[in-house]
Amino acid sequence: MPNANARPKHGRRTRRRRREDPARNELVSSSLESAQQCLFNQDYGTAFVHYLLVLNLAPMFKDFARESFRFTLFKWTEELDSVGRIQELFDCYEQALELFPADEVILNSMGEHLFRMGFRDEAAGHFHKALKLRPDYPEARENFYRVANWLVERWHFLMLNDHGRNRKYQQAIQKAVQSGCNTVLDIGTGTGILGMCAKKAGAAEVYACELSKTMYELACEVLTANKMDDGIKIVHMKSLEMEVPKDIPQKVSLVVTETVDAGLFGEGIIESLIHAWHHLLLPPQRGENEFQDQSATGRVIPAGATVFGMALESLEIRRHHRLCVSEVGSLSISAAGELRSPVSCSPEPDESMEPYTTERLSRLPGGYKALTEPFTALNIDFNNVQELEGLSSRELQRIHLPVTQGGELDALAVWFQLHLDEDSSLSTGPEEDTCWEQAIYPVHNTKGFVLKPQDELVVEVSCRDAFLRLCSVAVLRDGHEICLDTLQDPQNTGDPVSNQTPEAELCTALACLQTEQNQTKDFCMLECSEMALLNNQEYHQSFSSALSKLISQMKVKCQNKEPGSGVQSDSADLLFVLDVSEGFSLLSLIAASHGHVKAFSSVEKVKQQEVLKRLAQSNNVPEQHLEFWLNNMEDEQGMLKRPSREKLWSAIILDCVETCGLIRQKLMEKASLARCLLEDGGSIFPAKIVVQGILVESDTLLLESAVQGQEATLGFNIAPFINQFTVPVHVFLDFSTLECRHLSEFVELFVLDLMESTANYTNREVKVQATSAGRVTAIPFWYQIHLDQEISVSTLSQNSHWKQAAVVLQQPLRVQAGDWVRLAVKLQKSAISISAHIENPPGPMEQ
Ligand code: 44T
């Protein structure tokens, strides 16, 4: 076989010849030259193509050309992005990553594009890879920390730390396998834990599926580490797409799953189980025949669930879901029309609405008042496919609930008992000592309707699009039915109390119908945090005062500058205020309402702009004094209306803190840009932000951050893998109800001066004295936002729409009362990190 021997030599010769191929070399060098020329001419698209050619033909240029290639890629994809050529944008990134698969800068940048396009899981995967390649790369670190919560949701830590739940699931699975269920499918395996329980219990075949790519990869790592990668076949798929024998060779006798959220059905368990019963599970056991061979029939763990509900009053829920004030920052807002949070069980659900939100009732700021006893809303048997299928078509169920305590009806709360099998169940109730949140169905339409102890509340339970929906529809009072829907419309003068005669009932029904129509026409949706912001009078009042101070100072300055020009009210005299807040903001309108001010708002959504226009009109703000900045971007006419160069902004309002409790990304960059755009004497609002914090001992925060303890989880090695997704900064925290012990006074951690570029630093050492002994596990932090020298608002205030954040220390720090703790506070980009050390380590004698 002479040829066989000759082949490698031939190969080598060809390769050598390739490199020396003069035509090829010529092409490479001319392409390289063209790439550089195009780059110089800012023709990034062509430059990119030339670079691709060069680097594919001559990989040895990779190191040399890396920087210019990256630059070209970023410039070109920026252009593609701006004209919406998204597919091409991602194609470019993919080509770039084929050339530089381990380039953290390209990975991170692709992640940013993915994130902006809404592909959060994929985005987070890219940031994670970039960070693994270069753990000290600040851009990737910040991006990763911001998205890790989506990638591996925080409840994974809670669940794995919930030993009671783990053990109950393990026991139920063990019992089922031992009774003969020897082929098992784990739907939504997460870290792989339930599948591993089945294998360990002795199941012959175990399969698992997981739809999230990150979780699937994590589960693969976990199975390998536990030497179960041979024993459990895992696929990266949604169970609904699985087929026998393509994805699993045979139907299984047991499905285990915990694909339930606080509202039970939110993860699609009904659909998954209907599909599983038709395609993946052996037929169910018939009747009560205990002796049927378990390996020839199918069953599900959990076997079913009971859903409970309860009506409640809670100011905290109210202020996040409906408008509670009629005046904000000296503006009357009664003309705003109907404003709603996106959480609604309305009869016409649309894509942007969610039927419920979640809260841990036991941690609700201000607590809550139960207005009824808990009631059973639904019972569901997961082993009965007809029942599962019948859920959606099931008739509306009307439940009458005696009101036990008077109060304002703000929400219906829902929780459930998950029956793992006939002997064992888990509860997600508010009184339980578990980590689970409850589902909250806010009530929008009762406009402060107060329930009385003798009333009966009528609740409708339905199950449309496989979501459980609860809706308070009426109140029975003194034999009359008060339809809660008719209260929606403040203009509705009709008597909401029906006399029970068929005619009157018909009228009420008609009235309800009519209001529904008006409602869809008129209402404007605001995020829950935007609603809470609108309800925050203190915040708006502070802004109004600070603006009014600035405006009068500027007016005085103007008059001094142009003596004799008299009082004019033409546009030359106007002050210009720009509000670049994210989302819905009234601040531009508040500014405009001070007179002699032309304000520019960044509100983008048309419906929200309409609300502002309505409010401008009802508050006598001239139409031309409120403009929408972003509407003008593409329209040259509009651009011309912007203040001319000499007439720069008197005030620029920056939105500094995200609702989750973190400083907004690129805040300091925005501030320096804003400083350049200010007229003499003008101001940025806020002028300064002070970050404040406190040392605390909080086990809750630890449990939500990482799998705790040295012990294996149910005997499996899971913690080190999932803990890679630990994020040192915890967001959306409510400090007022956090279970923790305070170990110090409040302390100033950091100052960000938005008006003064030179005043800023990135590292600071702070000393704080422990006030009692304990383990410092976390440092919650928040912001004092100084609008000017005198006026400030705190993100910790009771009415705040902001939540707090906390740095969770990698290692708890033991302190004694009186110890000095040295905190090294760092601001990288806009992310805060803190490390803590004892300043005066106790000597051996003191220990
Ligand atoms: N809820 C805890 C846990 N998945 C949420 O990608 C439970 C919270 C909880 N994979 C109250 C009570 C409780 N096919 O990784 C996720 C998800 C995956 C699927 C493949 C499917 N059809 C699905 C559906 C979901 O399953 C994993 C877990 S689902 C979320 C569990 C007492 N509040």
Side-chain angles (χ1 to χ4, degrees):
M1 299 256 286
N3 277 350
N5 278 342
R7 214 173 269 147
K9 247 200 236 155
H10 178 73
R12 246 181 276 138
R13 241 200 345 258
T14 333
R15 241 182 279 137
R16 202 177 317 129
R17 215 177 328 123
R18 267 182 160 205
R19 235 179 280 141
E20 285 158 7
D21 182 344
R24 195 187 182 83
N25 289 350
E26 179 89 37
L27 182 61
V28 167
S29 68
S30 74
S31 262
L32 191 57
E33 214 169 282
S34 307
Q36 285 159 342
Q37 190 57 45
C38 292
L39 199 57
F40 183 75
N41 297 335
Q42 301 187 351
D43 175 2
Y44 301 117
T46 322
F48 184 69
V49 177
H50 280 298
Y51 272 125
L52 278 184
L53 187 73
V54 170
L55 298 178
N56 275 304
L57 287 177
M60 73 268 210
F61 282 120
K62 277 189 188 172
D63 280 344
F64 162 77
R66 184 189 288 256
E67 280 296 330
S68 336
F69 176 74
R70 273 185 193 156
F71 179 78
T72 314
L73 169 73
F74 298 154
K75 283 295 193 185
W76 177 227
T77 49
E78 228 171 69
E79 272 182 37
L80 290 173
D81 193 14
S82 68
V83 292
R85 287 160 64 181
I86 304 304
Q87 186 55 49
E88 282 165 82
L89 180 155
F90 286 121
D91 290 346
C92 289
Y93 270 102
E94 257 147 39
Q95 287 164 320
L97 285 173
E98 262 171 41
L99 284 168
F100 296 100
D103 188 307
E104 72 283 0
V105 184
I106 298 180
L107 279 164
N108 179 60
S109 175
M110 175 153 178
E112 288 176 353
H113 281 290
L114 283 165
F115 187 74
R116 254 181 283 140
M117 299 295 147
F119 302 109
R120 289 172 174 169
D121 200 15
E122 288 84 349
H126 281 70
F127 299 143
H128 188 218
K129 268 191 207 153
L131 199 59
K132 267 194 165 171
L133 286 162
R134 208 176 105 198
D136 64 341
Y137 181 25
E139 276 84 355
R141 178 167 291 271
E142 186 180 2
N143 283 330
F144 177 68
Y145 287 165
R146 279 180 195 261
V147 299
N149 295 0
W150 280 297
L151 194 59
V152 173
E153 291 181 60
R154 301 299 97 178
W155 48 253
H156 279 290
F157 298 112
L158 281 171
M159 281 188 13
L160 292 167
N161 283 321
D162 184 346
H163 303 289
R165 164 232 173 227
N166 295 344
R167 227 165 288 123
K168 281 189 181 171
Y169 252 103
Q170 185 179 38
Q171 280 163 0
I173 292 172
Q174 201 170 9
K175 230 170 71 188
V177 170
Q178 282 166 1
S179 72
C181 296
N182 57 5
T183 51
V184 183
L185 169 64
D186 175 1
I187 294 184
T189 193
T191 53
I193 187 168
L194 301 185
M196 291 195 292
C197 284
K199 194 75 212 168
K200 198 170 170 187
E205 304 283 333
V206 179
Y207 311 100
C209 64
E210 172 53 58
L211 64 85
S212 140
K213 184 152 183 272
T214 313
M215 287 315 297
Y216 161 77
E217 284 168 0
L218 186 71
C220 291
E221 279 186 70
V222 171
L223 294 187
T224 309
N226 289 280
K227 302 201 168 49
M228 292 227 188
D229 44 338
D230 281 341
I232 301 178
K233 190 191 164 217
I234 175 166
V235 289
H236 172 213
M237 284 186 116
K238 192 165 186 174
S239 66
L240 294 168
E241 277 139 32
M242 289 176 76
E243 288 169 29
V244 173
K246 192 166 93 357
D247 305 300
I248 53 172
Q250 59 196 333
K251 289 192 172 183
V252 295
S253 49
L254 179 65
V255 157
V256 294
T257 189
E258 201 186 359
T259 49
V260 290
D261 69 337
L264 186 60
F265 299 152
E267 289 283 342
I269 192 169
I270 299 296
E271 241 189 320
S272 311
L273 291 182
I274 293 175
H275 169 268
W277 276 116
H278 286 300
H279 303 280
L280 309 171
L281 265 166
L282 289 165
Q285 226 175 28
R286 247 174 268 128
E288 295 293 293
N289 188 349
E290 299 245 329
F291 303 107
Q292 228 171 326
D293 179 5
Q294 297 264 335
S295 66
T297 59
R299 57 177 279 208
V300 179
I301 291 180
T306 306
V307 180
F308 302 95
M310 183 172 81
L312 52 88
E313 176 186 89
S314 151
L315 196 59
E316 180 69 6
I317 295 176
R318 190 184 312 159
R319 70 188 187 95
H320 280 88
H321 296 279
R322 57 185 155 97
L323 198 58
C324 311
V325 294
S326 54
E327 208 171 87
V328 172
S330 57
L331 286 179
S332 154
I333 54 168
S334 37
E338 187 171 347
L339 304 176
R340 279 204 179 189
S341 82
V343 190
S344 165
C345 251
S346 84
E348 318 270 307
D350 77 34
E351 287 281 287
S352 51
M353 283 196 190
E354 313 218 344
Y356 56 86
T357 173
T358 65
E359 290 284 354
R360 204 160 288 145
L361 286 181
S362 60
R363 279 198 215 163
L364 201 58
Y368 64 93
K369 192 204 275 185
L371 305 181
T372 66
E373 290 292 323
F375 60 93
T376 304
L378 184 85
N379 254 307
I380 178 79
D381 179 355
F382 293 146
N383 283 309
N384 184 337
V385 70
Q386 287 79 27
E387 198 176 310
L388 293 169
E389 284 171 332
L391 257 189
S392 293
S393 52
R394 204 193 266 191
E395 262 185 38
L396 272 182
Q397 193 195 347
R398 274 191 155 223
I399 302 178
H400 286 237
L401 303 166
V403 172
T404 49
Q405 254 192 108
E408 209 165 313
L409 177 61
D410 290 314
L412 294 167
V414 158
W415 63 93
F416 56 89
Q417 230 181 338
L418 204 55
H419 309 296
L420 297 186
D421 55 26
E422 55 283 355
D423 304 322
S424 157
S425 64
L426 297 171
S427 167
T428 68
E431 317 271 81
E432 301 293 320
D433 182 25
T434 68
C435 46
W436 304 123
E437 297 188 315
Q438 289 76 45
I440 303 293
Y441 294 75
V443 174
H444 290 271
N445 43 17
T446 55
K447 290 256 151 70
F449 187 75
V450 178
L451 291 177
K452 293 188 194 157
Q454 263 75 47
D455 290 345
E456 231 173 69
L457 179 65
V458 185
V459 171
E460 271 179 8
V461 180
S462 63
C463 197
R464 240 177 316 116
D465 0 298
F467 266 121
L468 182 67
R469 286 168 198 273
L470 266 81
C471 200
S472 321
V473 288
V475 175
L476 292 179
R477 176 175 293 171
D478 309 326
H480 300 297
E481 180 166 307
I482 307 171
C483 171
L484 291 179
D485 265 346
T486 52
L487 296 171
Q488 277 168 2
D489 187 353
Q491 266 93 53
N492 187 347
T493 48
D495 180 7
V497 181
S498 114
N499 292 332
Q500 303 290 303
T501 66
E503 293 81 6
E505 255 180 37
L506 213 64
C507 289
T508 315
L510 212 63
C512 286
L513 274 179
Q514 211 154 13
T515 1
E516 262 164 39
Q517 270 173 9
N518 290 344
Q519 215 185 321
T520 35
K521 204 173 68 195
D522 264 355
F523 83 81
C524 169
M525 196 119 80
L526 293 183
E527 292 299 326
C528 304
S529 59
E530 292 171 330
M531 201 63 110
L533 170 61
L534 210 50
N535 283 320
N536 188 347
Q537 283 174 312
E538 185 194 329
Y539 171 87
H540 288 98
Q541 199 48 56
S542 305
F543 250 103
S544 183
S545 314
L547 269 165
S548 118
K549 255 169 71 187
L550 179 81
I551 290 167
S552 36
Q553 281 165 14
M554 300 293 283
K555 274 192 204 152
V556 170
K557 227 179 79 215
C558 257
Q559 280 160 7
N560 290 347
K561 242 197 222 164
E562 298 161 50
S565 67
V567 186
Q568 284 176 9
S569 61
D570 76 328
S571 74
D573 259 357
L574 289 177
L575 299 174
F576 286 85
V577 174
L578 172 65
D579 175 13
V580 287
S581 301
E582 311 256 334
F584 187 74
S585 163
L586 280 184
L587 298 179
S588 54
L589 187 57
I590 290 178
S593 72
H594 282 92
H596 292 284
V597 170
K598 177 155 177 146
F600 285 74
S601 158
S602 300
V603 166
E604 269 182 277
K605 294 185 181 143
V606 177
K607 285 229 157 183
Q608 299 185 353
Q609 292 186 353
E610 280 166 7
V611 172
L612 282 183
K613 283 185 203 159
R614 271 203 296 277
L615 290 179
Q617 202 177 21
S618 70
N619 284 281
N620 303 319
V621 173
E623 201 181 326
Q624 69 275 16
H625 283 190
L626 178 69
E627 291 246 0
F628 295 97
W629 176 248
L630 295 163
N631 291 3
N632 294 338
M633 294 306 260
E634 284 138 37
D635 141 33
E636 256 178 68
Q637 280 282 307
M639 293 288 258
L640 295 177
K641 283 191 231 140
R642 278 197 287 168
S644 59
R645 278 212 162 270
E646 334 52 280
K647 194 88 192 170
L648 293 171
W649 302 101
S650 312
I652 298 181
I653 303 169
L654 291 180
D655 197 358
C656 303
V657 181
E658 289 182 37
T659 318
C660 69
L662 295 180
I663 296 172
R664 271 201 198 281
Q665 275 185 301
K666 306 228 157 73
L667 173 67
M668 294 319 273
E669 285 94 323
K670 279 187 198 161
S672 44
L673 213 82
R675 281 195 299 273
C676 301
L677 298 172
L678 282 184
E679 71 174 302
D680 192 23
S683 186
I684 297 179
F685 287 119
K688 194 172 84 172
I689 300 173
V690 177
V691 187
Q692 294 180 320
I694 181 174
L695 307 182
V696 301
E697 173 169 336
S698 162
D699 288 333
T700 315
L701 276 178
L702 290 182
L703 295 175
E704 290 179 13
S705 308
V707 178
Q708 299 293 310
Q710 304 302 316
E711 264 176 51
T713 320
L714 294 179
F716 304 117
N717 180 14
I718 299 178
F721 302 96
I722 186 117
N723 284 353
Q724 289 179 65
F725 292 88
T726 294
V727 169
V729 178
H730 215 87
V731 289
F732 282 114
L733 187 83
D734 211 302
F735 181 60
S736 69
T737 53
L738 174 74
E739 286 171 328
C740 69
R741 281 184 52 227
H742 295 191
L743 299 180
S744 75
E745 306 283 347
F746 290 178
V747 55
E748 178 184 299
L749 295 174
F750 212 86
V751 179
L752 293 167
D753 197 323
L754 280 78
M755 285 294 284
E756 198 69 64
S757 61
T758 49
N760 287 311
Y761 44 83
T762 52
N763 291 302
R764 186 180 186 194
E765 284 224 333
V766 179
K767 291 196 184 110
V768 50
Q769 195 165 29
T771 47
S772 44
R775 285 153 54 241
V776 183
T777 60
I779 304 164
F781 60 90
W782 58 91
Y783 312 90
Q784 193 72 33
I785 301 181
H786 293 267
L787 301 178
D788 60 24
Q789 299 254 320
E790 292 90 29
I791 304 173
S792 72
V793 287
S794 166
T795 66
L796 189 64
S797 84
Q798 209 187 4
N799 255 326
S800 164
H801 66 292
W802 288 289
K803 296 283 179 189
Q804 290 77 50
V807 168
V808 180
L809 297 182
Q810 288 197 322
Q811 291 290 327
L813 184 73
R814 251 185 201 293
V815 292
Q816 300 299 328
D819 277 353
W820 282 94
V821 178
R822 184 164 37 88
L823 301 176
V825 189
K826 248 197 226 171
L827 184 78
Q828 269 186 325
K829 297 274 154 192
S830 49
I832 289 201
S833 63
I834 306 177
S835 59
H837 303 276
I838 298 275
E839 178 72 1
N840 50 344
M845 295 301 286
E846 291 168 76
Q847 277 179 333

